Structure formats: structure tokens, C-alpha cells
Amino acid sequence: MPWTSSGAQRASGNSPISNGPVTRSSQFASWHPGVDQQPTRRSGAIQEPTRSLAQARPLAQARPLATNHPSTFSLRPRSLVQARPSATLAAHGREPLTRVERPRHARLRSPIGRRAMFLPLIALLVSLTGAAAAPAPAVAGAPALKLVVIVGPSGSETSRYLGIGEAFAKTGERYGMDVRRVFHPRATWSKVLANIQGAKLVIVLGHGNGWPSEYPPYQTDTKNGLGLNPYEGASSYSTKYYGEGPVSKSIRLGTNAIVLLHHMCYSAGNGQSGQSIPSEWTAKQRVDNYGAGFIKSGARAVFAYYWGQQDDFVQQLMTRQATMDQIFMTRGRGDYDGYVGGRDVRFASVRSRPYSGHLDRSNHGYIRSVVGNLGMTTAQWKAGTAPTPDPDPEPAPTPQPDRTAPKLTALSMTATPPATAADRIRGIVSPNGDGIRESLRLYHTLSENAWLDAKVETDDGTVVGRYSKWATSGRTSHLWDGRDGKGARIPDGSYWLRIRPRDAAGNLGQPATVGVRILTAMKSPAVSNAMLYPNDGDGLASSTTLSSTLRSGGELAFRITTISGQLIAEWAPGKQMRAGDYSWTWRGIDMAGNAAPTGYYRALTVVKTEAGNEWWGQTIFVGAFKIFASDTSPRRGAKVTFVIISTESLSRNPSVTITQPGVPSYTVGSQSTSARGRYVATVYLRDAGQAGMGSVRVTGIDAGDRSQSRTMELRID
């Protein structure tokens, strides 16, 4: 039975997802772990590391010697020669590199003394001289272990995954395995069934579709299985899912088979790329659910690696004498390419008793897991002998009904909840296609993972739209695009969003409400120049133009205000304007006819309609130079770097004059940067004088050969 928040079986509900195998089209192309990037955390989201995958490196040519003679020794490579296939590197614009690691030290397998070993050792080394070592061939008469590598469609990641899959396959062939490749664009269900039966090792790369997720309901037709081509030759952006039901019903693996799920969302505990790290409970459910179908098919260990690993998985199984848990606990070089440890999560499987699971929590979340018989050894895997079942690391929980309703609090349009109810204002969403306010971000706090069922209501309670969003516990957010849940845009006007939480067990919490406005009359507001300097009269940067399109009738106004909101200048006919394009040019003059002083201002476009008032604004600067100091109150003798941005084009680099209390003024030059109009000056303040208010004066000559300058105060301690 599937996991729920209490461990009890979750009843299926209505859903747009079919109960049969589903074809996923290109709009879901984001269901992959993402391109190679340095591992970072961004607002709690997880990104994939940049280092190439160990699985894309061919095997070191060292022969594992197998014999019962007491005077022999073995050379066993610890890891692969570190080389990415040329085709994969070419796709990334790199030349193939090779890094060879030393094999482990030879170990004596007999009590015979060292002197007695020298002659056999010398003879063996002579026999290997001039020949490349290779893995030992399969034992005569023994059937080759079958390895099936499946690479499903994965959007933009498909070519990279094909390279990884091919590297796995070649490693298997070097160890004498019976290798079957089921690769995109011919990775169909029929091809899988024709090759996977009796497999001892199955490696799958591609999209994952697990549970719990934000794509309900739970059902076994498409969840926790394989993402394959719907037909031969299909696009890499089209995926058909075959879940736990088809896998467990139609596939029969070899005795003690092992499955590796590679780069598959939800399989190791984490969700999709970019999502927040899930709770431990959610991660355990995902790992246990994803492994259940394969274990029913005969697997005794299901590994899941969200990212590539330092050591080659196939090589480890073929060369090491170790348990599945020891294989899993192979360390890498970082906190993503091998076992990290320290925050391990072990649990008794609910779906596959009496087996257990092991999750390796890292700073990137749950990206490595294994579930099954963790005590099974590699020798038992190869021989097919019955391993000793795992003892439960903890007593299996008795499923109890979940009757605790989720709690939704602190619903707002800002990351920090408003202090009082009076601070709650209506948020504006403007889905008119100009890329500005196309959606509204709503922040909330949840007591547990839950669905947010929202109703869009008018003031009289009429429901004009519905939608549901999956959200994790804690302070998170979601986007609403002003549509009714079926893709239709809701008409302009004021509405209430009433959002009620619903957990995986169906418990309903109390709703929370927030006011919203849908306003689409103003489209594509813009400011032509964010910096102007009309005071020198040379016409180089003398004005800025505010513009906007009215999609429907309304009152339009263009305004210039100070940052605090004081009105400086305005174009406001004060009458209803027809639909069309409008603009107004401001030349730096205030309403009294005076030149606006140097400083920052707000350029605003305001439209008033029957549905409400909509505004858009951008900060602009009036003056010759913007000046930024690395330290706004430096000590005497300190090093200070000034970044200077010129409004007008200059004929030479500007100079910087420093004035300190009790010290004569001094001038330094500046250096231009790669950015146009940007300069940098580094100054070591004088160690003499007194603390107090000093100044920085920037002087330059513009392209019209006119001098211009700006002075900024600088507090010196």
C-alpha cells in the first residue's frame, strides 16, 4: 500500500491525470534535474553540480585476477580512469581529459613469506609486460550477468544521459556482462519488456514521476516507474510513464537483481530541480514508493542517485566484496558525488517489508538513497544465493488514520507577513502578455505538506475561478496567474482569493483570504533613459520619455516624484483616454520651471479604470555621475574603492578628488571597466587629520568637451 502522511493507504481521487499510461508533451520539459551547474542553494532550491559524472569515464585497464592458488595476489582498481567520452565533451565545447588513479596496493592472500613470493610475483609481472590489462572474462560455463541500461527521453538533457548510459554499458561489457541497450528514441515499453526479463542489474536514466508530488492523485499506472518513449522515434520532450503497476506485473528480474535509478526526479527523496528540500517524512515516502514496484519484480536493492557519483557503480558491484549498504556508503570528493554521512536517515520499509531504506542527507537535500536488503553482498548478487533478510532498523510503524487538519497561516503578498490586518492590501496581477505582473506571488505558512485549494470570488461570493497548488510545510509561496484554473483569464476587477489547505489524507484546514485585483488596461509601460543630465545644456542626455499602451479606455497620467513621493512634474490630461499608444518626455524641469537637483526620482505611469487603479514605476537618476563607495564611513588610512557611472559619454577617464578634515585635498585617477560608462577608482585615505565629514568630487569631460562634476559627502572616522 502507498505511503500517506500517516503511513495508511491513500484513496485515489479525481484528477486530470489519466489512470492509464500518460504521454507528457513539451510543456512539461522541465521535469529533469537540470543542467550541470556548480552546486548552489538558492532560496532553498537545489541545483546540480558542474563536475562531470563518474559514469561517463571508461574503466581502468587493470586485470582482477581470480584464482585459488595460494601464491597469487590481486590488483583491483579503486575507481575509473577519469575520462569523459569525446562526443559528450564535444557537446560542451571541451577536449577529453584523462586522469588515472593508482590501483589499491596489492594484498597477499597467503601466509607464505615475502621471500617465497618474489619469484611468482616477478613471473606474473613479466607476463604482463607490454600488454594492456583487461577485466577477467566470465567463468567458463557460467551464464553472463545481464545488464540492461535504459535511457528515456529527457528533453535538453537527453544527449548527456545517453553518454552516461553508454559509459555504463561499456563498463559492463569490459566485465563480460550481457549488456542490453534500450536507448532513446527507441526506449519504448515493448523494447524494455523484450530485454529486461531476467536482468541482474538495471540502470535507468530519464524523467521520474514519483509520489508524493504536486501531480495527484496517487495511482500505480504512471507513478514510481519508468519514463519512456511513447513510440519509436518520438521527441525527447515527449514521455510516456509506466508506473509501479505495469512494472511489477510485466517485469521479472533475475535473482537478487539490483536497480539503479539515475538522475530521476523523486526517486532519491528530492523532488524536481529547483524545488525546496522536502521534509524527511516526504523523502522516505518517495524512496519507499519508488522502490516498491521494482522489488515486487525481483529486485533486492534499489539505488537512487539524483546526481553523478565519483566511483563507477558497475565497477563497484563487479570488483568489491561488500554489502549493498557498504556500496551505498562509498564516499566521493564532495557533498554530492558520494556518501556524505552525519545526517543519515534509516527506516523500516512500509511498502517492501522486511526490507529497509537508507537516505544520505546532504546540504543539497536527499539526493542519494537505497532501499531493499541492505545486507545482501555483491557475491550473493552475482551467485543468486539467498541473502539474509535485513533486520528492521526500527519497528515497522502501525498505520494510523491521519485526522490532523493542516493549518494555513500568514497568507500575504509579501515575504514578511503584514503586522496587522489593516496592512493587507489587494495585490495586482496583470496577465496581458507584456511580462509585467503576469502573476502574483502569494506567501504562506503551512503546518504540513498540503494542497492549497483556492476559490476566486467576487464581493458577493460568486465563484469565478478555482485552482489547486501543492505546497510544502513551513514558509513557502506559490504563483497565481489571474486565470480560472482552466486557462481562461478572469475579467478585470476586484476579487477575493479564499485558500483552504487539504493534506494527503484528505483533511481540510481552515481557509485564509486575501484581496486581489486583475488589471490589464495598461500594457508595456517603459522609461527610455534611466539616467539624464540636462543641466549642462549639451543635449547628450537631456531627457527621458515615459510611454505606455492603453488596451482599453481609462484616465492616464505620467508623473515624476521624489523617492518619498513628492510630485515634481506631471502629464495628466484628467480625462478619459481612448485605447492607443501614449508618451511624454521629461527634460528635468520641475513644475515651477526650475532644473531638478541631482538625485534619484521615480518615473510613474498611472491608469485609472472602473476596475481599479494600476500603476508602474521605475527609479531614474538626474545628475552627471552616480558614485558608490565600498565603505560609506571609512577610517583614516583605510582603502576605499569608488565605482563611478557616468550619465554622458566621456572623452577621458574622470578624476576623483578627496577632501578630509585637517588634510589638504588630493586627486587620483580612475580606470575604465568593461561596462560602458563605468569607472573604478581605488583610494588610500590619508592617515592624518581628524575624523569628520569629508567629500568625494568626481570630475569628467564629456564627448561634447564640456566639464561636469558631482560632489558626494563622505563620513570619515
Side-chain angles (χ1 to χ4, degrees), residues 103-288:
R104 294 179 179 177
H105 292 298
R107 295 181 293 183
L108 297 182
R109 291 188 175 179
S110 169
I112 299 176
R114 292 184 179 179
R115 293 184 180 181
M117 288 296 299
F118 281 155
L119 291 178
L121 175 60
I122 294 173
L124 177 59
L125 293 176
V126 170
S127 69
L128 295 176
T129 302
V139 178
L145 303 179
K146 182 190 282 190
L147 164 62
V148 178
V149 183
I150 302 169
V151 182
S154 310
S156 61
E157 292 293 288
T158 304
S159 60
R160 187 165 71 96
Y161 291 0
L162 287 170
I164 299 169
E166 179 61 21
F168 276 129
K170 288 183 176 179
T171 301
E173 288 173 338
R174 289 189 178 95
Y175 279 103
M177 302 183 78
D178 174 12
V179 177
R180 311 289 180 91
R181 295 168 172 84
V182 185
F183 285 5
H184 169 82
R186 291 175 290 277
T188 63
W189 180 239
S190 61
K191 293 288 187 183
V192 169
L193 295 183
N195 288 276
I196 201 171
Q197 311 301 336
K200 294 284 286 184
L201 176 60
V202 178
I203 300 176
V204 186
L205 296 99
H207 286 309
N209 181 18
W211 182 261
S213 76
E214 56 273 44
Y215 307 103
Y218 171 81
Q219 37 76 29
T220 61
D221 292 318
T222 61
K223 297 289 186 185
N224 305 315
L226 305 173
L228 304 174
N229 295 117
Y231 54 87
E232 288 197 28
S235 164
S236 61
Y237 290 93
S238 181
T239 303
K240 190 170 184 177
Y241 290 98
Y242 296 85
E244 174 188 331
V247 167
S248 61
K249 179 179 179 181
S250 303
I251 294 176
R252 288 296 172 266
L253 302 176
T255 305
N256 296 343
I258 296 173
V259 175
L260 170 62
L261 307 175
H262 209 289
H263 278 73
M264 293 176 65
C265 295
Y266 303 101
S267 61
N270 273 9
Q272 297 175 203
S273 178
Q275 290 183 340
S276 300
I277 297 174
S279 67
E280 177 183 312
W281 185 254
T282 297
K284 289 194 294 186
Q285 292 180 68
R286 287 172 174 171
V287 170
D288 203 15

Side-chain angles (χ1 to χ4, degrees), residues 516-704:
V516 296
R517 283 193 178 100
I518 300 177
L519 301 171
T520 61
M522 179 174 63
K523 185 175 182 179
S524 304
V527 172
S528 62
N529 297 314
M531 297 177 67
L532 63 154
Y533 184 54
N535 297 353
D536 61 356
D538 59 9
L540 292 180
S542 60
S543 65
T544 186
T545 298
L546 286 69
S547 62
S548 183
T549 297
L550 278 182
R551 299 178 67 249
S552 59
E555 293 185 22
L556 173 67
F558 295 115
R559 295 171 182 161
I560 303 295
T561 71
T562 63
I563 296 300
S564 62
Q566 179 184 354
L567 184 63
I568 299 297
E570 180 183 38
W571 179 86
K575 63 180 181 180
Q576 194 80 1
M577 310 293 289
R578 296 179 179 178
D581 297 332
Y582 296 88
S583 64
W584 171 62
T585 299
W586 184 56
R587 304 185 185 280
I589 305 300
D590 64 17
M591 299 180 73
N594 302 316
T598 295
Y600 289 90
Y601 298 85
R602 291 285 287 168
L604 301 175
T605 300
V606 181
V607 174
K608 182 179 180 180
T609 66
E610 293 181 358
N613 297 337
E614 183 179 6
W615 62 271
W616 176 87
Q618 179 176 328
T619 300
I620 62 175
F621 175 77
V622 176
F625 300 101
K626 289 182 179 180
I627 307 172
F628 304 94
S630 60
D631 190 341
T632 56
S633 57
R635 294 182 178 274
R636 286 165 288 170
K639 174 183 175 182
V640 184
T641 299
F642 297 97
V643 176
I644 304 160
I645 303 176
S646 176
T647 300
E648 298 181 347
S649 297
L650 302 181
S651 60
R652 68 200 70 165
N653 293 356
S655 61
V656 179
T657 300
I658 307 295
T659 300
Q660 294 182 225
V663 176
S665 299
Y666 53 98
T667 301
V668 298
S670 65
Q671 301 294 323
S672 60
T673 68
S674 57
R676 183 178 180 181
R678 185 182 293 263
Y679 305 87
V680 174
T682 300
V683 179
Y684 288 89
L685 300 180
R686 301 292 189 259
D687 203 13
Q690 301 87 35
M693 189 62 67
S695 65
V696 179
R697 181 179 179 84
V698 177
T699 304
I701 306 298
D702 65 23

